[in-house]
Amino acid sequence: MPHFFEARDGARLAYRELGDGRPVVLVHGFFSTAMVNWVRYGHAESLAARGFRVIMPDLRGHGDSAKPHDPAAYPRTC
């Protein structure tokens, strides 16, 4: 099950966590989600079994995170 937090602009963003120990953050690819990239095929579970706290955000516009329609809600990257 995803956890949620509120971004500075009020968008509801999702993340998943698995395991305990030293944290590692896994970021999904474009057009994907944390579930697809890291949970479904066992990558997160494998890292958690090795003693890591696996943190997997769903980036804005992906997965269980908010998908605002206003282009201003998506910062420019370059």
Side-chain angles (χ1 to χ4, degrees):
M1 292 299 292
H3 303 279
F4 295 92
F5 69 95
E6 190 173 304
R8 284 186 271 171
D9 65 352
R12 188 172 182 229
L13 302 178
Y15 68 98
R16 287 175 166 71
E17 267 189 278
L18 189 61
D20 295 304
R22 188 172 178 187
V24 61
V25 177
L26 303 180
V27 179
H28 63 74
F30 197 56
F31 294 119
S32 195
T33 69
M35 276 299 292
V36 171
N37 276 168
W38 311 119
V39 177
R40 182 177 291 166
Y41 300 106
H43 302 298
E45 189 174 337
S46 177
L47 287 167
R50 288 178 170 84
F52 289 96
R53 175 180 168 213
V54 184
I55 305 163
M56 303 158 282
D58 272 338
L59 301 179
R60 181 182 299 251
H62 298 270
D64 293 309
S65 286
K67 298 163 185 68
H69 294 284
D70 181 1
Y74 298 88
R76 293 181 57 128
T77 58
C78 301

